[in-house]
Amino acid sequence: MKILGFIGSPRKGENTDVLVNHILDKAKECGAETKLYNICDMKIGGCVACLACKSNPGTCSIEDDMLPLYDEIVGADAVVIGSPVYVGWITAQAKAFVDRLYAFLGPDYKPYIETPKRCLLVMPQGHPDGSRYEFIGTQLGFLLKFLCNLETKYFIAAGVGKRGARGADVREHQDIMDAVSKLAEELVTAPTWEGVKDPTP
Ligand SMILES: Cc1cc2nc3c(=O)[nH]c(=O)nc-3n(C[C@H](O)[C@H](O)[C@H](O)COP(=O)(O)O)c2cc1C
């Protein structure tokens, strides 16, 4: 199984980075081949609505670092996307990446990627209530399925961050680290992704 990881946090070595790396490491232990991208180190601009992708789905007219990712995503079996909650949504960098997945939506509103892929969305947040930003997981899950056939489950790591209610470093929270380890294992080994229990708070 080939898994791509995308980190949408500008903070190196911090919560999102730790969680996505931990998931990929665990997936590797379970036999997956993994590849990691840090979206914040890449030049990924916003969609310019030229609609060139509606004539050629799976490509984009903007020649930036997003271009090679289209083929990479097509060739992957699963995707892990991490972003901290910033002002009630994902980071601007992660949002630009998601917007550009619009290139996978065919002119008939069907995704260019015909075979569903497994997707795990992981979101640290400072607020201690894990249900507060559940709408991000629900909405993004719907969009990722609609745009590019990613069957998305989301995990919220609540209360972590510099001013987070549970303390800054997600590594100190064994419950969170254990939960994402289990999800990584399931991402690789579960007979069906739909059968995996939703990791909602
Ligand atoms: C600009 C900014 C906006 C944030 N907005 C929210 C928010 O709306 N809700 C929340 O619970 N935490 C918010 N946070 C806290 C982060 O989600 C939290 O610290 C997270 O663990 C950071 O992840 P990182 O360590 O990968 O950067 C915000 C942090 C920053 C810097």
Side-chain angles (χ1 to χ4, degrees), residues 92-106:
Q93 295 92 328
K95 174 71 163 71
F97 168 77
V98 171
D99 283 7
R100 296 283 295 284
L101 296 176
Y102 182 64
F104 280 129
L105 187 68

Side-chain angles (χ1 to χ4, degrees), residues 128-140:
D129 179 359
S131 64
R132 169 155 299 203
Y133 300 106
E134 243 189 284
F135 67 88
I136 305 176
T138 311
Q139 180 68 4
L140 219 48

Side-chain angles (χ1 to χ4, degrees), residues 47-64 66-74 99-107 112-113 147-148:
C47 172
V48 293
C50 69
L51 300 185
C53 58
K54 300 303 151 250
S55 310
N56 286 302
T59 62
C60 183
S61 68
I62 305 173
E63 293 187 4
D64 62 9
M66 188 69 194
L67 264 191
L69 298 185
Y70 293 114
D71 283 347
E72 284 278 63
I73 293 170
V74 169
D99 283 7
R100 296 283 295 284
L101 296 176
Y102 182 64
F104 280 129
L105 187 68
Y112 168 74
I113 296 173
L147 294 174
C148 45

Side-chain angles (χ1 to χ4, degrees), residues 9 11 14-16 84-88 124-127 133 160-162:
S9 169
R11 297 203 317 142
E14 301 295 340
N15 299 316
T16 311
V85 175
Y86 269 19
V87 197
Q125 65 175 51
H127 198 279
Y133 300 106
V160 299
K162 262 187 180 158

Side-chain angles (χ1 to χ4, degrees), residues 17 20-21 27 34 50 67 70 88 91 105 122-123 126 140 148 167 175 180 191:
D17 189 338
V20 175
N21 269 292
T34 65
C50 69
L67 264 191
Y70 293 114
T91 62
L105 187 68
V122 58
M123 297 180 296
L140 219 48
C148 45
D175 56 333
V180 293

